[in-house]
Amino acid sequence: MHPFALSRAEDPGAAIVAHASDPQLAFIAGGTDLIGLIKDRAARPAHLLDINSLPDMARIEPLPNGGLRIGALARMSDVAAHAEVRRRFPVIAEGLLFAASGQLRNMASMGGNIMQRTRCAYFRDEDPLPCNKRRPGSGCSALHGFNRNHAIFGWSEACVATNPSDVAVAFAAMDANVIVRGRTGERSIPFTEFHRLPGTTPERDTALGQGDLIVAIEVPPRVEGRASHYLKVRDRQSYEFALVSAAAAVATDGRRIRSARLAMGGVAHKPWRLVAAEAALRGVSLDDIHALERAIATSFTDARPLAHNVFKVELAQRVALRALETAGARV
Ligand SMILES: Cc1cc2nc3c(=O)[nH]c(=O)nc-3n(C[C@H](O)[C@H](O)[C@H](O)COP(=O)(O)OP(=O)(O)OC[C@H]3O[C@@H](n4cnc5c(N)ncnc54)[C@H](O)[C@@H]3O)c2cc1C
Ligand code: SF4
């Protein structure tokens, strides 16, 4: 085990300064991802700064505009069980409940969840093969290796990994914002811009830099929120990451879709919004399966599957359709 020093932060300002001035320092919340990465030698921080005592970061509270603010230190299980989250954004509650295990969800924080790193086996292996995310410039073993679990959208020659967070997919569909406090004050990052595509720098997963602390995630008051659903397909029914998943939400006039929100997990380096499908779904009847299928297909014309995940192109469209139908049944 890689040795590290551990200290506790009591003040957010001091935590941000400490993080900004020391590239060897990492924040730790639940530790359910970071400790695993340290054990796998995929992270080697010299200093862990425990942020669990920082004030006001574990609350789940309504916003004046009708939205919800979810503190970065709120635990996954508390958010999933929260009455307002369940009532107004079932897609978020389900995105959490289908993740990990009960024990992990009790420990794991929301900020840590959206910061978790890819589950690409080449990246996680204790004795890794070439991996640009782990050792920039070393190559990507998955590109021509075993890539069944990898991306079909937005990948580059440098990295074909997917983002493993379930609830991130729900947040992307709901147009949530990540509230970050840094050296120059607080800023709000649209969820769809929080995670990055790999490009030539796959070692960077998010828009955050040194000295950035996630304080909350804010969900705007979307009309589609109540009629929403998260569907996750995986190799076993619990305690498993998504092969493919979909977050769907709709607002309707009768049975006709007024607006739809669709995002997918397990298909890209970030939650993948089906923007073309959302536009094509406007005005379509929820009872017209073929029209729904055609609308969803508009977002798959640029899918680029790898050698072992061609099946994901069809599976993802089926998952999106089923998620949309279930959301529609909740109108
Ligand atoms: C066996 C197993 C199965 C799992 N299955 C799933 C699954 O199916 N779906 C799913 O979505 N997840 C799954 N997970 C991942 C799990 O949800 C994450 O490990 C957890 O959410 C991370 O939260 P944490 O508080 O423990 O983060 P930590 O491990 O403490 O931190 C993770 C990262 O986030 C950073 N960080 C934490 N808080 C902040 C903050 N406020 N600001 C800035 N940076 C911060 C840390 O520095 C670190 O880099 C699984 C994990 C395990 C071990
Ligand atoms: S897909 Fe990304 S994480 Fe996996 S081996 Fe390639 S560079 Fe590494």
Side-chain angles (χ1 to χ4, degrees):
M1 182 77 173
H2 167 76
F4 53 81
L6 176 68
S7 58
R8 180 171 298 157
E10 308 285 349
D11 168 67
I16 289 163
V17 170
H19 195 266
S21 54
D22 183 358
Q24 296 302 315
L25 181 145
F27 296 138
I28 185 163
T32 62
D33 194 37
L34 187 52
I35 296 298
L37 290 166
I38 294 172
K39 284 184 182 165
D40 293 340
R41 302 196 207 114
R44 292 169 174 270
H47 184 179
L48 297 186
L49 187 59
D50 179 344
I51 58 173
N52 288 293
S53 304
L54 293 181
D56 302 328
M57 276 176 52
R59 285 210 290 259
I60 306 161
E61 54 197 354
L63 288 167
N65 68 1
L68 272 183
R69 181 179 168 99
I70 299 171
L73 288 174
R75 266 37 200 181
M76 289 170 71
S77 43
D78 293 331
V79 180
H82 194 274
E84 283 298 290
V85 176
R86 289 163 61 105
R87 190 173 65 86
R88 292 171 52 199
F89 300 103
V91 68
I92 294 173
E94 290 168 352
L96 290 164
L97 284 175
F98 291 140
S101 66
Q103 285 159 318
L104 282 162
R105 293 193 296 268
N106 287 342
M107 194 73 190
S109 69
M110 297 299 290
N113 184 289
I114 64 172
M115 288 291 286
Q116 65 178 288
R117 306 209 71 193
T118 184
R119 288 280 156 178
C120 172
Y122 298 106
F123 169 75
R124 292 269 170 175
D125 200 302
E126 218 179 307
D127 296 310
L129 289 167
C131 169
N132 287 322
K133 198 179 272 297
R134 195 160 165 157
R135 261 187 308 125
S138 62
C140 172
S141 294
L143 182 62
H144 300 296
F146 187 57
N147 46 39
R148 174 178 180 266
N149 292 335
H150 291 71
I152 58 170
F153 290 113
W155 52 266
S156 68
E157 299 275 315
C159 180
V160 294
T162 56
N163 183 289
S165 167
D166 287 297
V167 75
V169 183
F171 283 138
M174 290 292 100
D175 279 338
N177 291 293
V178 184
I179 311 302
V180 176
R181 204 174 294 168
R183 282 164 294 181
T184 53
E186 197 163 288
R187 66 192 196 276
S188 171
I189 305 175
F191 212 89
T192 46
E193 293 167 25
F194 180 73
H195 295 100
R196 299 176 68 251
L197 287 180
T200 54
T201 50
E203 67 277 15
R204 287 189 55 214
D205 293 338
T206 70
L208 297 194
Q210 281 300 123
D212 281 339
L213 173 73
I214 303 169
V215 291
I217 297 148
E218 290 188 353
V219 191
R222 295 219 63 88
V223 283
E224 304 91 345
R226 284 173 203 252
S228 65
H229 179 55
Y230 185 73
L231 178 62
K232 177 173 176 179
V233 172
R234 43 193 161 168
D235 284 329
R236 59 180 177 202
Q237 199 46 35
S238 74
Y239 203 47
E240 185 57 284
F241 291 89
L243 203 48
V244 165
S245 68
V250 284
T252 61
D253 292 318
R255 295 289 293 160
R256 214 159 275 285
I257 294 174
R258 183 152 36 95
S259 67
R261 329 280 310 169
L262 272 175
M264 303 220 64
V267 296
H269 200 255
K270 60 189 285 185
W272 196 255
R273 273 287 286 277
L274 304 190
V275 179
E278 289 177 1
L281 283 165
R282 228 168 279 140
V284 173
S285 167
L286 280 165
D287 300 318
D288 187 345
I289 298 292
H290 295 305
L292 296 176
E293 281 174 346
R294 280 195 302 276
I296 289 168
T298 59
S299 274
F300 285 81
T301 52
D302 56 348
R304 285 189 301 145
L306 300 157
H308 304 119
N309 68 8
V310 177
F311 71 96
K312 277 194 181 184
V313 178
E314 185 184 345
L315 178 63
Q317 293 178 75
R318 289 192 195 182
V319 170
L321 176 64
R322 179 66 68 84
L324 192 64
E325 287 181 309
T326 308
R330 292 176 171 176
V331 171

